[in-house]
Amino acid sequence: MSLIKENIELEFLIEATNQSLLDRPKKESIELNYLNIINWEKATDLAEKHGLLPMVFNFTSQLKIESKIVKRFEKNARENTINNLFTSKAYNYTIDLFIKNQIEVLPCKGHLFLSELYNGKQLREIADLDILVKPEDASKALGILTADNYIFYDVNKETKLTTDELINLIPNVIGMNETTLLKNINGNNAFIDFHWGFHYGFLPYKIDLNWLFENKRTIFINNFPSPCPSNEAMFTMLIIHHAGTDIWMKLKYMADLLAFMETKGKEINWPKMLEKLAEMNLKRPSLVGFFLLKHYFDYQIPKEIESEFDAEKINHKLILPIIDYWENCYNILSLKGRLKYEKILWSIQDVGFSRWKYFKEMFKMYLIPNPIESKRLVTFPDNYYFLNGLSKVVTYLYKRGFGKVIR
């Protein structure tokens, strides 16, 4: 099926993904179409926002097009390779650090996907290291990282808390599931997205973290021994983030799903996997990804999955807002982008999803004072949601300059 608005630049990114990951012939007249029609400025911008620049370079280098067009993507691809090599050393060191200190750890996304799904080919951007530990090990693991000169990156700079206090407080903040740490290594910054969970507490998903650690094995990532989740757990990690949290809003997520199906798809018992996804309230979000894969990437998906589309009401009307997100790359921090995101998130949830409960838990998370946020002018007991919310708004306005006016 062609894209809704016949966006040739978006079709180009999808074709670049298919050609990079699948063994299939190029579409007829593809070079002529792209040479004569494509807006390369728009294509470059879209590729960057969708996290596909390395894959686009891989594709354009195979086409008979002007070298100056290829060079648009070559510089980024080279930088991506260098960054991946740098982060791979940091990854190896960090995994080894946890193992030596008897911390159960699993990689997620990033280097795990690059190694297991992309066979080590430099086709995926990696911004940071994603690492998962069990909740009961979070404080100990944070202590190990900070002792190794990692610092908390996303903690409000106004906080007066010591590192030791943060180590004990952060894993217990309501709704939090990760924090970012930073370490400068020979002039380069290494970032760790440190997880003891996978999603905000107000999202409806039910994830058994202990199950993700079951049947893990040892593989070599960057020529270094590393723990690796089972294929089922790896797929679940992919779905939690790409579908459950980020609603397939980037083509990079579709590329990961496509890469998984090509490398691991035949090893999965899909009826059993779908049952597991239903238990986690992630069945419909995952089916949306497969529907997109079938109709927009022209990929043949397992019959057990496709047969669920009608029963779960997965159709073109449902996914049109996602295509709109692909085409316009809305900023989720803007009001418009956030509203569109929330609308998609609600629409793809499993049966039984309650918007009321969603909002209730979200407001609870953001309204209850927590020790690592910017200090409020006044705080109230946790169950005084309205007063705490009002205090947060007043504090924000005061610090944005209103306080200077009234003084």
Side-chain angles (χ1 to χ4, degrees):
M1 178 179 178
S2 62
L3 290 168
I4 304 304
K5 297 180 181 178
E6 296 186 358
N7 185 324
I8 189 67
E9 289 77 24
L10 197 56
E11 290 187 358
F12 166 71
L13 296 188
I14 290 175
E15 184 64 17
T17 303
N18 280 339
Q19 291 296 326
S20 297
L21 298 177
L22 305 177
D23 183 18
R24 62 168 60 166
K26 291 194 289 289
K27 292 180 180 178
E28 294 182 11
S29 304
I30 193 171
E31 295 173 20
L32 181 62
N33 284 340
Y34 292 154
L35 276 172
N36 295 339
I37 302 175
I38 198 167
N39 179 327
W40 289 103
E41 293 292 340
K42 182 178 178 181
T44 305
D45 183 59
L46 273 178
E48 182 174 5
K49 289 176 177 176
H50 280 283
L52 289 182
L53 282 169
M55 208 167 295
V56 170
F57 169 67
N58 176 72
F59 180 46
T60 54
S61 63
Q62 302 172 29
L63 299 177
K64 297 176 181 178
I65 56 179
E66 297 177 52
S67 60
K68 66 179 182 180
I69 294 175
V70 177
K71 288 185 181 299
R72 289 174 180 265
F73 305 105
E74 183 177 11
K75 180 176 181 293
N76 176 270
R78 189 183 302 115
E79 291 173 350
N80 179 68
T81 299
I82 294 171
N83 179 69
N84 286 357
L85 290 173
F86 166 70
T87 57
S88 69
K89 292 181 180 180
Y91 169 84
N92 293 347
Y93 176 83
T94 305
I95 291 293
D96 188 53
L97 187 65
F98 281 143
I99 292 175
K100 286 179 178 177
N101 284 276
Q102 299 181 323
I103 297 287
E104 271 199 276
V105 60
L106 283 177
C108 32
K109 300 186 295 180
H111 286 283
L112 173 66
F113 285 2
L114 190 66
S115 175
E116 286 291 283
L117 307 186
Y118 292 84
N119 297 316
K121 296 178 182 178
Q122 298 299 319
L123 296 174
R124 192 183 193 277
E125 294 181 354
I126 299 176
D128 44 39
L129 312 178
D130 282 276
I131 291 175
L132 172 70
V133 302
K134 294 181 177 180
E136 59 267 29
D137 293 330
S139 290
K140 180 181 177 182
L142 286 172
I144 292 168
L145 290 175
T146 53
D148 196 57
N149 297 318
Y150 275 95
I151 61 174
F152 290 103
Y153 179 74
D154 55 357
V155 173
N156 192 286
K157 292 181 174 57
E158 294 180 13
T159 182
K160 305 298 183 183
L161 297 172
T162 66
T163 296
D164 286 341
E165 288 174 323
L166 289 171
I167 287 169
N168 291 308
L169 286 171
I170 285 178
N172 296 303
V173 172
I174 294 176
M176 280 191 68
N177 62 93
E178 66 177 287
T179 189
T180 302
L181 297 101
L182 163 69
K183 180 180 180 180
N184 188 277
I185 303 174
N186 299 324
N188 296 302
N189 289 330
F191 291 90
I192 289 181
D193 272 356
F194 176 86
H195 298 259
W196 59 94
F198 267 117
H199 61 82
Y200 289 121
F202 54 81
L203 290 168
Y205 314 127
K206 300 175 181 178
I207 312 301
D208 180 358
L209 288 179
N210 288 322
W211 176 76
L212 295 178
F213 283 84
E214 290 180 8
N215 301 315
K216 67 179 185 293
R217 61 193 189 279
T218 298
I219 61 171
F220 279 83
I221 296 179
N222 313 314
N223 298 314
F224 191 86
S226 169
C228 175
S230 67
N231 291 337
E232 292 77 11
M234 193 187 310
F235 178 73
T236 301
M237 290 177 175
L238 185 156
I239 292 299
I240 295 169
H241 182 267
H242 295 357
T245 302
D246 280 15
I247 56 151
W248 304 111
M249 68 171 69
K250 291 185 179 181
L251 291 176
K252 177 181 180 179
Y253 304 151
M254 296 303 305
D256 283 347
L257 179 60
L258 182 59
F260 183 92
M261 295 306 294
E262 278 293 284
T263 57
K264 310 289 185 183
K266 293 181 180 179
E267 302 172 21
I268 300 292
N269 180 329
W270 287 110
K272 188 175 180 180
M273 189 73 242
L274 288 171
E275 289 180 8
K276 189 70 177 179
L277 290 169
E279 292 175 8
M280 295 184 284
N281 292 335
L282 278 165
K283 185 176 180 180
R284 288 190 83 239
S286 64
L287 289 176
V288 167
F290 283 113
F291 187 91
L292 291 165
L293 207 59
K294 172 180 170 59
H295 291 282
Y296 290 84
F297 288 74
D298 194 26
Y299 188 78
Q300 185 174 351
I301 62 175
K303 293 180 180 179
E304 301 96 326
I305 297 174
E306 187 173 359
S307 65
E308 297 282 343
F309 289 160
D310 287 341
E312 296 291 343
K313 299 180 180 179
I314 310 296
N315 50 50
H316 290 290
K317 182 179 179 180
L318 179 69
I319 56 87
L320 286 182
I322 298 177
I323 305 303
D324 177 50
Y325 229 102
W326 287 358
E327 293 182 319
N328 293 286
C329 300
Y330 297 106
N331 180 359
I332 195 172
L333 298 179
S334 70
L335 178 60
K336 183 177 182 180
R338 187 71 196 190
L339 290 176
K340 285 180 175 290
Y341 166 85
E342 295 291 348
K343 183 178 179 180
I344 296 170
L345 181 71
W346 301 337
S347 70
I348 67 174
Q349 294 304 312
D350 284 3
V351 174
F353 172 70
S354 167
R355 292 187 187 182
W356 163 248
K357 185 176 181 181
Y358 173 84
F359 279 120
K360 179 182 176 183
E361 294 302 318
M362 177 191 287
F363 286 129
K364 184 186 296 185
M365 173 181 162
Y366 285 114
L367 297 184
I368 293 177
N370 73 68
I372 64 171
E373 69 178 4
S374 177
K375 188 175 181 180
R376 304 181 192 187
L377 295 175
V378 62
T379 58
F380 300 90
D382 288 353
N383 59 324
Y384 285 71
Y385 300 130
F386 175 78
L387 290 177
N388 277 316
L390 183 62
S391 173
K392 189 166 188 173
V393 171
V394 171
T395 301
Y396 172 79
L397 293 174
Y398 183 85
K399 293 184 177 181
R400 284 293 298 266
F402 183 67
K404 296 178 182 179
V405 175
I406 62 175
R407 285 198 298 269

